[in-house]
Amino acid sequence: MNIVLYILIFIMGSVFGSFFTLAIYRIPKKQDIIHTHSYCPNCNHKLKFLDLIPVFSYIFLLGKCRYCKEKIRPRYFIIEILSGFTFVIIAYLMNINMDNLNPILLAEGAFMALYLCFIFIMAGIDAENRKIEKSISMYGVLLSIAYIIYLCVVEKDSIYRYIIYLVFYVIILILDTVTLKKYAKNSYVNGIILTVLTMVIFTGEYVVINTIIMTALVVAINLLMHKIENIRKRVRREKKDYGKNIDYGFILGMSNILNLIFVLSWYKFFI
């Protein structure tokens, strides 16, 4: 029965992944992500049910639009697969199975699914546009507040642990509002800080510390490879603002998921 459950979780995760691809494409364009029917971005033809089955539609259509034959970007297939497997792995590590299903565990699983929505969409938009969308940051803030209320009311956790994070939320949101009014644009740094705060609330301080360390290592390796490439090509004047083009939100999001899986695995198999 557990195999059936995890197959259903994979299907649910891949459906979420399909939604992620839609959100990543539409949110930066300020398009509706709920009511507007899915369409091909090349020919604008409305997609039918058989065109929208996660994973399988891409395979059966050979990676092409049924109507205009334009190639579908592989990222759609990749995100759906990754999302499905991520949901299954985390559900397994959280001990979600047919033998111990209960309201508390289901609620924790639901919050984790909503958190993964935040991470995937935030990281995907950043990878495509190098931008932390304020609407996604606000989704993370509201989700965090709802999760804190749940922890304090249902699981009787202490509110004092989260007060400092709530204060930081308020400070960063005020700074972001000031930045928006003064420069008429979203602050990338503020978006990163809000993302880190949301990560702390959902995955804990230890996971986030490791996440930041891994992110720093990836960024350092990226900068080093860029430096070596410039030396190889004998580029005399290196662009000093190369670091500003790195997708910190994407790296941070992927690092957080990897570290969360590692810590959950450690607790499941060694503690």
Side-chain angles (χ1 to χ4, degrees):
M1 290 299 293
N2 283 332
I3 294 177
V4 175
L5 175 64
Y6 290 130
I7 290 174
L8 292 175
I9 292 174
F10 177 84
I11 293 172
M12 182 182 71
S14 63
V15 170
F16 270 85
S18 181
F19 171 74
F20 298 158
T21 60
L22 179 147
I24 290 168
Y25 176 79
R26 292 190 185 181
I27 289 177
K29 297 179 181 294
K30 309 302 180 185
Q31 296 180 3
D32 181 76
I33 64 173
I34 299 176
H35 302 99
T36 303
H37 194 80
S38 296
Y39 60 89
C40 171
N42 182 61
C43 64
N44 293 321
H45 195 288
K46 287 186 178 180
L47 302 180
K48 298 179 180 179
F49 174 77
L50 293 178
D51 305 318
L52 298 172
I53 301 174
V55 180
F56 293 103
S57 289
Y58 185 92
I59 296 173
F60 293 146
L61 294 174
L62 301 177
K64 296 180 181 180
C65 172
R66 183 193 302 273
Y67 310 100
C68 67
K69 306 305 179 183
E70 180 74 12
K71 286 186 177 181
I72 302 172
R73 296 178 63 180
R75 74 161 191 183
Y76 293 96
F77 178 72
I78 294 171
I79 291 177
E80 289 170 358
I81 287 286
L82 284 177
S83 178
F85 279 116
T86 301
F87 272 58
V88 170
I89 291 170
I90 291 182
Y92 172 72
L93 295 176
M94 290 178 65
N95 292 316
I96 296 178
N97 57 65
M98 297 300 294
D99 298 325
N100 67 344
L101 288 180
N102 58 73
I104 296 294
L105 191 59
L106 290 175
E108 289 284 352
F111 272 112
M112 181 55 66
L114 294 174
Y115 172 71
L116 290 175
C117 288
F118 165 74
I119 292 295
F120 270 98
I121 296 175
M122 178 281 300
I125 291 176
D126 188 54
E128 290 287 317
N129 304 278
R130 200 188 178 277
K131 180 181 182 182
I132 307 296
E133 281 285 344
K134 189 165 185 178
S135 59
I136 301 303
S137 294
M138 289 307 302
Y139 165 74
V141 172
L142 294 176
L143 182 62
S144 298
I145 293 173
Y147 188 52
I148 290 172
I149 293 173
Y150 163 79
L151 290 174
C152 295
V153 174
V154 177
E155 298 195 10
K156 308 301 181 182
D157 205 348
S158 174
I159 186 63
Y160 299 107
R161 176 188 173 191
Y162 302 103
I163 287 178
I164 186 170
Y165 299 127
L166 293 173
V167 170
F168 274 121
Y169 266 140
V170 172
I171 292 173
I172 299 303
L173 288 172
I174 292 174
L175 289 175
D176 196 58
T177 303
V178 171
T179 302
L180 183 64
K181 288 182 178 180
K182 188 174 181 180
Y183 301 105
K185 63 179 181 180
N186 289 337
S187 170
Y188 190 76
V189 174
N190 290 347
I192 292 293
I193 296 174
L194 288 173
T195 297
V196 171
L197 288 173
T198 302
M199 288 178 175
V200 171
I201 291 171
F202 276 93
T203 62
E205 293 84 354
Y206 179 75
V207 171
V208 172
I209 290 173
N210 287 336
T211 296
I212 293 173
I213 292 173
M214 180 180 287
T215 300
L217 287 174
V218 172
V219 170
I221 292 171
N222 197 312
L223 291 172
L224 180 61
M225 291 177 63
H226 176 71
K227 184 76 173 179
I228 294 173
E229 184 68 14
N230 282 338
I231 294 173
R232 189 180 67 84
K233 292 181 178 180
R234 298 180 180 178
V235 177
R236 293 183 177 179
R237 297 188 64 182
E238 182 181 353
K239 292 182 179 180
K240 295 183 179 180
D241 61 346
Y242 174 75
K244 295 181 179 180
N245 297 320
I246 296 176
D247 306 320
Y248 295 97
F250 172 77
I251 300 172
L252 198 67
M254 296 304 100
S255 298
N256 183 248
I257 290 177
L258 290 174
N259 277 285
L260 176 62
I261 290 173
F262 172 78
V263 170
L264 288 176
S265 300
W266 181 267
Y267 275 95
K268 183 176 180 66
F269 296 112
F270 299 104
I271 296 180

